[in-house]
Amino acid sequence: MTPLIEYLQQGILLDNHEEVRKVRIKAPSYAIVNGELYRKGFTTPWLRCVDEARGREALQEAHAGQAGAYEGAHALTGKVLRMGIYWLTTHQDAVELKKKCEECQAYSPIRGNPPVPLTNISSPWPFCQWGIDTVGPFPEAPGKLKYMVAAVDTPQNGLRLSH
């Protein structure tokens, strides 16, 4: 953010053409007010730019503080943005926080429904229809295989996913 701040405060640009282009593209979305850097929000008011340490602190407060509700990473990011705080890795930090939170992992919904309804299909005789697929790659272990081939016979009056 330093080249952007220098450009907004003093109009100084770097010699690198690619960096100058990036700064000029980003500059209209930022402003310095009372010595602090702010970023325009798309649907929110101006967001105060903070460093990652302060941002993660705000993220933790929004996640498990007084107003916290162990919600998903997208909702958590939106809550922090509505607080008026922004830093470059807001969403990535929210995803990492959700992965590390034991309560979120323990009480997250388990999705077990099939993506499409199952339909019956009948087979005229055994071994008439086969399904073959590869499974893997598995975690590497000494002396173990990396992939597996699975073959399944569709039994008579068996269930199969329709496409």
Side-chain angles (χ1 to χ4, degrees), residues 41-148:
F42 183 68
T43 59
T44 58
W46 287 87
L47 306 170
R48 186 168 45 101
C49 297
V50 296
D51 60 345
E52 286 187 26
R54 172 68 182 107
R56 287 186 180 137
E57 198 175 288
L59 195 63
Q60 185 66 35
E61 176 64 28
H63 178 63
Q66 286 183 335
Y70 295 96
E71 59 219 3
H74 186 73
L76 186 59
T77 302
K79 185 182 279 189
V80 170
L81 293 176
R82 283 190 302 277
M83 289 169 59
I85 298 173
Y86 174 80
W87 68 100
L88 287 176
T89 59
T90 307
H91 187 69
Q92 292 91 344
D93 290 345
V95 169
E96 289 300 317
L97 180 66
K98 296 300 293 178
K99 286 181 182 177
K100 293 177 183 174
C101 179
E102 291 180 16
E103 289 88 3
C104 293
Q105 298 302 316
Y107 297 111
S108 65
I110 299 172
R111 296 182 179 103
N113 295 339
V116 293
L118 299 175
T119 57
N120 286 329
I121 58 170
S122 60
S123 176
W125 57 85
F127 304 106
C128 173
Q129 189 171 9
W130 285 75
I132 300 175
D133 196 9
T134 57
V135 182
F138 296 112
E140 293 186 26
K144 300 292 180 181
L145 299 176
K146 192 170 184 176
Y147 294 94
M148 177 179 73

